[in-house]
Amino acid sequence: MNDHESAVTGLDAEFQALRPRLLGVAYGLLGSLDEAEDVVQDAWLRLRTAKAAGGDEIRDATGWLVVTVSRLALDVLRSARHRREEYVGPWLPEPVLMGPDPAERVTLDESMSMAMLVVLESLSPAERTAFVLHDVFGLTFAEVGAAVGRSPAACRQLAARARAHVESRAPRFDVDPAEHRRVVRAFARACLGDDLDALLALLDPDVVLRSDGGGRVRAARRPVLGAAKVARLLFGIRRFGSHELVPVTVNGWPGLLRYRDGRLVAVMGLSIARGRITAVDMVANPEKLARVTRADETRNRR
């Protein structure tokens, strides 16, 4: 193996080791794994092209990749704003479930829950990028500035504005994981049972349910607010076939897979505070369930 081949092999190994974190950065900015993977692959091809052309100025491939992925994701985010404004019903991020293949895994901070990503959608692209890169992934404001195209001081202000907005709206993460799982399992039993009072006892009075069907399947076109309305909707769903709720980890937190007549129809992320469910984020758009469905089919064939 000559020096060039050795360098390429080392670069490839460095990229593969960094890939889960790069996907985490891109996903945190975009809320879409398909778009995140495209961005990461684009950054990798650009790095290889630059190195093949004698890009000796790229001495820190890891830093270069993180900044390039961030910059490319920001471009995609800006172009996606209009599409999401015209989206049919609430737009929710593509759910991330831990897969069996380490190469397909995404490194997610615990804050990248479904509910947090919904809050991030209300930020400007630049604010979201500054917050995710600095507050979530720990990049310096100089690195954030390289991605956003602004001075470090300007990025500091962007992050501060974003942080204030997030802190006023985002869910708290002081729930014990075991308690979170207990509430999720009790919620599943109540949804499948006939005790409406048991379900109401688990729901915060101001609970919100967001259902993303993308215009492809039946789903509420607006967020459903209040325990009584959410409970009626969840009970009403049972009219459409035989249902099963399977506990899983969704975006790093306990959630549920919903099956109807044996077919996956939704992934549910739940936010919990003081022992009650404050938000139910239900992704039913088949396009956003494609990865989970394929994983299910693979497991069933084994």
Side-chain angles (χ1 to χ4, degrees), residues 27 30-35 83-84 87-97 114 118 121 211-217 250-251 257 264-267 282-294:
Y27 174 79
L30 298 169
S32 165
L33 274 177
D34 283 340
E35 292 177 338
R83 296 197 308 272
R84 293 181 185 179
Y87 195 79
V88 178
W91 186 94
L92 293 176
E94 181 183 347
V96 174
L97 279 65
M114 298 287 285
V118 170
E121 280 294 306
S211 181
D212 178 348
R216 302 281 304 280
V217 296
V250 180
N251 286 52
L257 299 181
L264 179 70
V265 293
V267 174
M282 187 160 54
V283 180
N285 185 337
E287 293 181 354
K288 297 181 181 181
L289 298 180
R291 291 171 187 272
V292 184
T293 301
R294 287 197 299 269

Short mmCIF file of all heavy atoms in Angstrom, two decimals, residues 27 30-35 83-84 87-97 114 118 121 211-217 250-251 257 264-267 282-294:
data_model
loop_
_atom_site.label_atom_id
_atom_site.label_comp_id
_atom_site.label_asym_id
_atom_site.label_seq_id
_atom_site.Cartn_x
_atom_site.Cartn_y
_atom_site.Cartn_z
N TYR A 27 -29.07 15.74 11.78
CA TYR A 27 -30.45 15.44 12.18
C TYR A 27 -30.99 16.49 13.14
O TYR A 27 -32.15 16.90 13.06
CB TYR A 27 -30.53 14.06 12.81
CG TYR A 27 -31.89 13.72 13.37
CD1 TYR A 27 -32.93 13.32 12.53
CD2 TYR A 27 -32.14 13.81 14.73
CE1 TYR A 27 -34.18 13.02 13.05
CE2 TYR A 27 -33.38 13.51 15.26
CZ TYR A 27 -34.40 13.12 14.42
OH TYR A 27 -35.64 12.84 14.93
N LEU A 30 -32.06 19.30 11.00
CA LEU A 30 -33.05 19.07 9.94
C LEU A 30 -34.27 18.27 10.39
O LEU A 30 -35.34 18.40 9.79
CB LEU A 30 -32.38 18.34 8.77
CG LEU A 30 -31.24 19.10 8.08
CD1 LEU A 30 -30.50 18.19 7.12
CD2 LEU A 30 -31.79 20.32 7.35
N GLY A 31 -34.12 17.40 11.39
CA GLY A 31 -35.25 16.58 11.81
C GLY A 31 -35.61 15.50 10.82
O GLY A 31 -36.67 14.89 10.92
N SER A 32 -34.72 15.24 9.85
CA SER A 32 -34.97 14.24 8.82
C SER A 32 -33.71 13.41 8.64
O SER A 32 -32.65 13.96 8.33
CB SER A 32 -35.36 14.90 7.50
OG SER A 32 -35.26 13.98 6.42
N LEU A 33 -33.81 12.11 8.81
CA LEU A 33 -32.65 11.25 8.64
C LEU A 33 -32.23 11.15 7.17
O LEU A 33 -31.04 11.09 6.87
CB LEU A 33 -32.94 9.85 9.19
CG LEU A 33 -32.68 9.66 10.68
CD1 LEU A 33 -33.08 8.25 11.10
CD2 LEU A 33 -31.23 9.90 11.02
N ASP A 34 -33.21 11.11 6.26
CA ASP A 34 -32.86 11.06 4.84
C ASP A 34 -32.04 12.28 4.44
O ASP A 34 -30.99 12.16 3.79
CB ASP A 34 -34.13 11.00 3.98
CG ASP A 34 -34.76 9.62 3.98
OD1 ASP A 34 -34.04 8.64 4.29
OD2 ASP A 34 -35.95 9.50 3.66
N GLU A 35 -32.50 13.46 4.83
CA GLU A 35 -31.77 14.68 4.50
C GLU A 35 -30.43 14.72 5.22
O GLU A 35 -29.42 15.17 4.65
CB GLU A 35 -32.61 15.91 4.85
CG GLU A 35 -33.83 16.07 3.97
CD GLU A 35 -34.69 17.26 4.38
OE1 GLU A 35 -34.60 17.69 5.55
OE2 GLU A 35 -35.47 17.75 3.53
N ARG A 83 -41.41 24.53 2.32
CA ARG A 83 -42.11 23.26 2.19
C ARG A 83 -42.83 22.90 3.47
O ARG A 83 -43.95 22.39 3.44
CB ARG A 83 -41.13 22.14 1.81
CG ARG A 83 -40.47 22.31 0.48
CD ARG A 83 -39.83 20.99 0.00
NE ARG A 83 -38.96 20.39 0.99
CZ ARG A 83 -37.68 20.66 1.11
NH1 ARG A 83 -37.12 21.57 0.32
NH2 ARG A 83 -36.94 20.05 2.02
N ARG A 84 -42.20 23.16 4.61
CA ARG A 84 -42.81 22.78 5.88
C ARG A 84 -43.97 23.69 6.22
O ARG A 84 -44.91 23.26 6.89
CB ARG A 84 -41.75 22.79 6.98
CG ARG A 84 -40.72 21.70 6.78
CD ARG A 84 -39.66 21.65 7.86
NE ARG A 84 -38.64 20.66 7.55
CZ ARG A 84 -37.59 20.40 8.29
NH1 ARG A 84 -37.41 21.05 9.43
NH2 ARG A 84 -36.70 19.48 7.93
N TYR A 87 -46.91 22.19 4.58
CA TYR A 87 -47.14 20.80 4.94
C TYR A 87 -48.57 20.61 5.44
O TYR A 87 -49.12 21.48 6.13
CB TYR A 87 -46.15 20.41 6.04
CG TYR A 87 -46.00 18.94 6.30
CD1 TYR A 87 -45.22 18.13 5.48
CD2 TYR A 87 -46.60 18.35 7.41
CE1 TYR A 87 -45.05 16.79 5.75
CE2 TYR A 87 -46.43 17.00 7.69
CZ TYR A 87 -45.65 16.22 6.85
OH TYR A 87 -45.49 14.89 7.12
N VAL A 88 -49.18 19.48 5.11
CA VAL A 88 -50.55 19.21 5.53
C VAL A 88 -50.55 18.75 6.99
O VAL A 88 -50.04 17.68 7.31
CB VAL A 88 -51.20 18.14 4.64
CG1 VAL A 88 -52.62 17.83 5.13
CG2 VAL A 88 -51.21 18.59 3.19
N GLY A 89 -51.11 19.59 7.88
CA GLY A 89 -51.14 19.26 9.29
C GLY A 89 -49.82 19.56 9.98
O GLY A 89 -48.90 20.10 9.37
N PRO A 90 -49.69 19.20 11.25
CA PRO A 90 -48.44 19.44 11.99
C PRO A 90 -47.27 18.68 11.36
O PRO A 90 -47.43 17.52 10.94
CB PRO A 90 -48.74 18.92 13.39
CG PRO A 90 -50.23 18.92 13.50
CD PRO A 90 -50.73 18.62 12.13
N TRP A 91 -46.10 19.33 11.29
CA TRP A 91 -44.89 18.67 10.83
C TRP A 91 -44.11 18.19 12.04
O TRP A 91 -43.80 18.97 12.94
CB TRP A 91 -44.02 19.63 10.02
CG TRP A 91 -42.81 18.97 9.39
CD1 TRP A 91 -42.72 18.47 8.13
CD2 TRP A 91 -41.53 18.74 10.00
NE1 TRP A 91 -41.47 17.93 7.91
CE2 TRP A 91 -40.72 18.08 9.04
CE3 TRP A 91 -41.00 19.01 11.26
CZ2 TRP A 91 -39.41 17.71 9.31
CZ3 TRP A 91 -39.69 18.63 11.53
CH2 TRP A 91 -38.91 18.00 10.55
N LEU A 92 -43.81 16.88 12.06
CA LEU A 92 -43.00 16.30 13.14
C LEU A 92 -41.74 15.70 12.54
O LEU A 92 -41.73 15.29 11.37
CB LEU A 92 -43.79 15.21 13.89
CG LEU A 92 -44.99 15.69 14.70
CD1 LEU A 92 -45.73 14.49 15.30
CD2 LEU A 92 -44.56 16.64 15.82
N PRO A 93 -40.67 15.63 13.31
CA PRO A 93 -39.43 15.06 12.79
C PRO A 93 -39.57 13.57 12.55
O PRO A 93 -40.45 12.90 13.11
CB PRO A 93 -38.42 15.34 13.90
CG PRO A 93 -39.24 15.46 15.14
CD PRO A 93 -40.53 16.10 14.70
N GLU A 94 -38.71 13.05 11.69
CA GLU A 94 -38.65 11.61 11.49
C GLU A 94 -38.14 10.96 12.76
O GLU A 94 -37.09 11.35 13.28
CB GLU A 94 -37.69 11.31 10.33
CG GLU A 94 -37.57 9.84 10.00
CD GLU A 94 -36.57 9.59 8.88
OE1 GLU A 94 -36.15 10.56 8.23
OE2 GLU A 94 -36.18 8.42 8.70
N PRO A 95 -38.85 9.99 13.32
CA PRO A 95 -38.42 9.39 14.59
C PRO A 95 -37.15 8.57 14.41
O PRO A 95 -36.94 7.92 13.38
CB PRO A 95 -39.61 8.50 14.99
CG PRO A 95 -40.29 8.18 13.70
CD PRO A 95 -40.11 9.39 12.83
N VAL A 96 -36.30 8.61 15.43
CA VAL A 96 -35.05 7.84 15.42
C VAL A 96 -35.14 6.74 16.46
O VAL A 96 -35.31 7.01 17.66
CB VAL A 96 -33.84 8.75 15.72
CG1 VAL A 96 -32.57 7.91 15.84
CG2 VAL A 96 -33.67 9.79 14.63
N LEU A 97 -35.06 5.50 16.01
CA LEU A 97 -35.01 4.34 16.89
C LEU A 97 -33.65 3.69 16.74
O LEU A 97 -33.10 3.66 15.64
CB LEU A 97 -36.10 3.33 16.55
CG LEU A 97 -37.52 3.59 17.09
CD1 LEU A 97 -38.12 4.84 16.51
CD2 LEU A 97 -38.42 2.39 16.79
N MET A 114 -38.49 14.21 20.52
CA MET A 114 -39.46 14.68 19.53
C MET A 114 -39.98 16.06 19.92
O MET A 114 -40.07 16.97 19.09
CB MET A 114 -40.63 13.69 19.45
CG MET A 114 -40.25 12.30 18.99
SD MET A 114 -39.88 12.23 17.23
CE MET A 114 -41.54 12.32 16.55
N VAL A 118 -39.64 19.74 17.91
CA VAL A 118 -40.80 20.57 17.55
C VAL A 118 -40.55 22.02 17.95
O VAL A 118 -40.85 22.95 17.19
CB VAL A 118 -42.08 20.03 18.23
CG1 VAL A 118 -43.24 21.02 18.07
CG2 VAL A 118 -42.47 18.69 17.64
N GLU A 121 -38.21 23.83 15.60
CA GLU A 121 -38.82 24.24 14.33
C GLU A 121 -39.27 25.70 14.35
O GLU A 121 -39.40 26.33 13.30
CB GLU A 121 -40.03 23.35 14.01
CG GLU A 121 -39.67 22.01 13.42
CD GLU A 121 -39.04 22.13 12.04
OE1 GLU A 121 -39.64 22.77 11.17
OE2 GLU A 121 -37.93 21.60 11.86
N SER A 211 -50.24 15.14 15.64
CA SER A 211 -50.32 13.94 14.81
C SER A 211 -49.91 14.30 13.39
O SER A 211 -50.54 15.14 12.74
CB SER A 211 -51.75 13.39 14.84
OG SER A 211 -51.86 12.22 14.06
N ASP A 212 -48.84 13.67 12.91
CA ASP A 212 -48.28 13.97 11.59
C ASP A 212 -48.64 12.85 10.62
O ASP A 212 -48.04 11.78 10.64
CB ASP A 212 -46.75 14.13 11.72
CG ASP A 212 -46.07 14.39 10.38
OD1 ASP A 212 -46.71 14.25 9.33
OD2 ASP A 212 -44.88 14.75 10.39
N GLY A 213 -49.64 13.14 9.76
CA GLY A 213 -49.99 12.21 8.70
C GLY A 213 -49.51 12.67 7.35
O GLY A 213 -49.55 11.92 6.36
N GLY A 214 -49.06 13.92 7.27
CA GLY A 214 -48.53 14.46 6.03
C GLY A 214 -49.52 14.47 4.87
O GLY A 214 -49.11 14.55 3.71
N GLY A 215 -50.82 14.36 5.16
CA GLY A 215 -51.81 14.31 4.09
C GLY A 215 -51.89 12.95 3.43
O GLY A 215 -52.67 12.75 2.49
N ARG A 216 -51.12 11.98 3.96
CA ARG A 216 -51.08 10.65 3.36
C ARG A 216 -52.02 9.67 4.07
O ARG A 216 -52.49 8.72 3.46
CB ARG A 216 -49.64 10.10 3.45
CG ARG A 216 -48.57 10.97 2.78
CD ARG A 216 -48.57 10.77 1.27
NE ARG A 216 -48.38 9.37 0.95
CZ ARG A 216 -47.20 8.76 0.94
NH1 ARG A 216 -46.11 9.42 1.25
NH2 ARG A 216 -47.12 7.47 0.61
N VAL A 217 -52.22 9.88 5.36
CA VAL A 217 -53.10 9.01 6.15
C VAL A 217 -53.96 9.87 7.06
O VAL A 217 -53.69 11.06 7.26
CB VAL A 217 -52.28 7.99 6.99
CG1 VAL A 217 -51.51 7.04 6.10
CG2 VAL A 217 -51.33 8.72 7.93
N VAL A 250 -37.62 6.09 21.57
CA VAL A 250 -37.80 7.02 20.46
C VAL A 250 -36.99 8.28 20.75
O VAL A 250 -37.23 8.96 21.75
CB VAL A 250 -39.29 7.39 20.27
CG1 VAL A 250 -39.46 8.35 19.11
CG2 VAL A 250 -40.13 6.13 20.05
N ASN A 251 -36.01 8.57 19.91
CA ASN A 251 -35.15 9.74 20.10
C ASN A 251 -34.55 9.78 21.51
O ASN A 251 -34.49 10.83 22.15
CB ASN A 251 -35.91 11.02 19.81
CG ASN A 251 -36.13 11.24 18.31
OD1 ASN A 251 -36.62 10.35 17.62
ND2 ASN A 251 -35.74 12.39 17.81
N LEU A 257 -44.48 2.03 19.61
CA LEU A 257 -44.85 1.74 18.24
C LEU A 257 -46.32 1.32 18.26
O LEU A 257 -46.72 0.50 19.07
CB LEU A 257 -44.01 0.59 17.67
CG LEU A 257 -42.50 0.79 17.59
CD1 LEU A 257 -41.84 -0.44 16.97
CD2 LEU A 257 -42.14 2.03 16.80
N LEU A 264 -47.40 -1.68 11.22
CA LEU A 264 -46.97 -0.44 11.88
C LEU A 264 -47.67 0.76 11.26
O LEU A 264 -47.61 0.97 10.05
CB LEU A 264 -45.46 -0.27 11.75
CG LEU A 264 -44.88 1.00 12.37
CD1 LEU A 264 -44.95 0.92 13.90
CD2 LEU A 264 -43.44 1.23 11.91
N VAL A 265 -48.32 1.57 12.11
CA VAL A 265 -49.04 2.74 11.59
C VAL A 265 -48.59 4.05 12.24
O VAL A 265 -48.92 5.13 11.76
CB VAL A 265 -50.57 2.59 11.74
CG1 VAL A 265 -51.09 1.47 10.86
CG2 VAL A 265 -50.95 2.36 13.21
N ALA A 266 -47.82 3.98 13.33
CA ALA A 266 -47.38 5.22 13.97
C ALA A 266 -46.27 4.94 14.97
O ALA A 266 -46.16 3.85 15.53
CB ALA A 266 -48.54 5.92 14.69
N VAL A 267 -45.43 5.95 15.16
CA VAL A 267 -44.45 5.98 16.24
C VAL A 267 -44.84 7.12 17.16
O VAL A 267 -45.12 8.23 16.70
CB VAL A 267 -43.02 6.19 15.71
CG1 VAL A 267 -42.04 6.35 16.86
CG2 VAL A 267 -42.59 5.02 14.82
N MET A 282 -47.16 12.00 17.58
CA MET A 282 -47.47 10.76 16.88
C MET A 282 -47.18 10.91 15.38
O MET A 282 -47.85 11.68 14.67
CB MET A 282 -48.96 10.41 17.10
CG MET A 282 -49.36 9.07 16.56
SD MET A 282 -50.89 8.45 17.33
CE MET A 282 -52.02 9.82 17.07
N VAL A 283 -46.15 10.21 14.92
CA VAL A 283 -45.76 10.25 13.51
C VAL A 283 -46.42 9.10 12.79
O VAL A 283 -46.15 7.93 13.08
CB VAL A 283 -44.22 10.17 13.37
CG1 VAL A 283 -43.83 10.21 11.89
CG2 VAL A 283 -43.55 11.30 14.13
N ALA A 284 -47.30 9.44 11.84
CA ALA A 284 -48.02 8.41 11.08
C ALA A 284 -47.75 8.50 9.58
O ALA A 284 -48.19 7.63 8.83
CB ALA A 284 -49.53 8.55 11.33
N ASN A 285 -47.04 9.54 9.14
CA ASN A 285 -46.71 9.69 7.72
C ASN A 285 -45.88 8.49 7.28
O ASN A 285 -44.79 8.26 7.80
CB ASN A 285 -45.91 10.99 7.53
CG ASN A 285 -45.63 11.27 6.06
OD1 ASN A 285 -45.63 10.39 5.22
ND2 ASN A 285 -45.37 12.53 5.77
N PRO A 286 -46.38 7.69 6.32
CA PRO A 286 -45.65 6.47 5.92
C PRO A 286 -44.23 6.73 5.47
O PRO A 286 -43.35 5.88 5.68
CB PRO A 286 -46.51 5.93 4.76
CG PRO A 286 -47.87 6.48 5.01
CD PRO A 286 -47.65 7.85 5.60
N GLU A 287 -43.97 7.89 4.87
CA GLU A 287 -42.62 8.19 4.43
C GLU A 287 -41.65 8.28 5.61
O GLU A 287 -40.48 7.89 5.50
CB GLU A 287 -42.60 9.50 3.64
CG GLU A 287 -43.33 9.42 2.31
CD GLU A 287 -43.26 10.73 1.55
OE1 GLU A 287 -42.76 11.73 2.11
OE2 GLU A 287 -43.73 10.76 0.39
N LYS A 288 -42.13 8.80 6.74
CA LYS A 288 -41.29 8.94 7.92
C LYS A 288 -41.20 7.65 8.73
O LYS A 288 -40.38 7.55 9.65
CB LYS A 288 -41.81 10.08 8.80
CG LYS A 288 -41.75 11.44 8.12
CD LYS A 288 -42.23 12.55 9.02
CE LYS A 288 -42.18 13.90 8.31
NZ LYS A 288 -42.61 15.03 9.16
N LEU A 289 -42.03 6.67 8.38
CA LEU A 289 -42.01 5.38 9.08
C LEU A 289 -41.25 4.32 8.29
O LEU A 289 -41.12 3.19 8.75
CB LEU A 289 -43.43 4.88 9.32
CG LEU A 289 -44.34 5.75 10.20
CD1 LEU A 289 -45.72 5.09 10.33
CD2 LEU A 289 -43.73 5.97 11.57
N ALA A 290 -40.76 4.69 7.11
CA ALA A 290 -40.18 3.69 6.21
C ALA A 290 -39.03 2.92 6.85
O ALA A 290 -38.94 1.69 6.75
CB ALA A 290 -39.71 4.36 4.92
N ARG A 291 -38.15 3.63 7.56
CA ARG A 291 -37.00 2.95 8.18
C ARG A 291 -37.45 1.99 9.28
O ARG A 291 -36.93 0.88 9.41
CB ARG A 291 -36.05 3.98 8.79
CG ARG A 291 -35.33 4.83 7.78
CD ARG A 291 -34.59 5.94 8.49
NE ARG A 291 -34.03 6.87 7.55
CZ ARG A 291 -32.84 6.73 6.99
NH1 ARG A 291 -32.07 5.72 7.32
NH2 ARG A 291 -32.39 7.62 6.11
N VAL A 292 -38.41 2.43 10.09
CA VAL A 292 -38.88 1.59 11.18
C VAL A 292 -39.58 0.36 10.63
O VAL A 292 -39.41 -0.76 11.12
CB VAL A 292 -39.84 2.37 12.10
CG1 VAL A 292 -40.26 1.53 13.30
CG2 VAL A 292 -39.19 3.66 12.57
N THR A 293 -40.36 0.54 9.55
CA THR A 293 -41.05 -0.58 8.92
C THR A 293 -40.06 -1.58 8.36
O THR A 293 -40.21 -2.79 8.54
CB THR A 293 -41.97 -0.06 7.80
OG1 THR A 293 -42.92 0.86 8.35
CG2 THR A 293 -42.71 -1.22 7.14
N ARG A 294 -39.01 -1.09 7.68
CA ARG A 294 -38.00 -2.00 7.13
C ARG A 294 -37.28 -2.77 8.23
O ARG A 294 -37.01 -3.96 8.11
CB ARG A 294 -36.98 -1.22 6.29
CG ARG A 294 -37.52 -0.73 4.96
CD ARG A 294 -36.38 -0.36 4.04
NE ARG A 294 -35.57 0.72 4.57
CZ ARG A 294 -35.80 2.01 4.33
NH1 ARG A 294 -36.83 2.37 3.59
NH2 ARG A 294 -35.00 2.94 4.84
#
